[in-house]
Amino acid sequence: MAALVAALLTQASDRTPWTAAMLGDRYANKSAVIAATALALALGNALGVVGGVLIAPLLSPNAQGLLLAVALVSGGITAFWPLRPAKHRDWRGGAFLLSLIAIGLLGFGDRMQFITAALAARSETPALAAVGATLGALAVTIPAIVLGERNLRRLPTVAIRLSAAAALTAFGVVQGLAALRLI
């Protein structure tokens, strides 16, 4: 559940939905864009889980909590910066391949992957971190694909981004204080 909420907040303040909306506008076959986006997000989150599983034995429970706090706070703070709009590129390729590559490149090493790794490091069932993060990210990107870029611009995106940034930062601070046993 934590991964799902973190992914919702992170993706609401990220470039991934904008790129997905742009791809949804570009291709008539929105189902191919959605399938490729789902695969790219699942692979990226799975990679995050692998990182979390590899580092978990090296960390004490308090250190795992601090890792999560750092991931949440860093994800929240970076969300305060305005998003740079995705550039329309003249790449060639089908809807599935281009969407897979574009979303995969955006997700590689991003803050959601860091948060997923931190959640997996603390979890007894780390695979659920990838499932929750993927579902949360898809809950934001699929509507963006269906709406398209023009309709996405009609939403109060600045308010959504700043609210998500504040929530991620606040959750991270609380997590850090709890890991340090201050609350």
Side-chain angles (χ1 to χ4, degrees), residues 5 8 24 26 28 54 65-66 68 100 130 133 136 140 142 152 155-156 159 167-168:
V5 172
L8 281 169
R26 181 175 181 171
L54 291 175
L66 282 174
L68 179 58
L100 181 68
V140 175
I142 289 175
L152 197 59
L155 298 175
L168 282 169

Side-chain angles (χ1 to χ4, degrees), residues 93-173:
F96 185 86
L97 180 63
L98 188 57
S99 299
L100 181 68
I101 292 170
I103 301 299
L105 288 175
L106 272 178
F108 186 75
D110 77 342
R111 55 198 168 123
M112 189 59 232
Q113 201 171 44
F114 183 29
I115 293 170
T116 303
L119 286 166
R122 312 179 37 146
S123 178
E124 292 180 17
T125 53
L128 291 180
V131 171
T134 302
L135 291 175
L138 287 173
V140 175
T141 54
I142 289 175
I145 293 167
V146 173
L147 284 173
E149 196 172 8
R150 181 181 304 148
N151 291 326
L152 197 59
R153 290 190 190 282
R154 292 182 183 162
L155 298 175
T157 54
V158 173
I160 293 169
R161 179 178 52 81
L162 294 177
S163 298
L168 282 169
T169 304
F171 291 151
V173 168

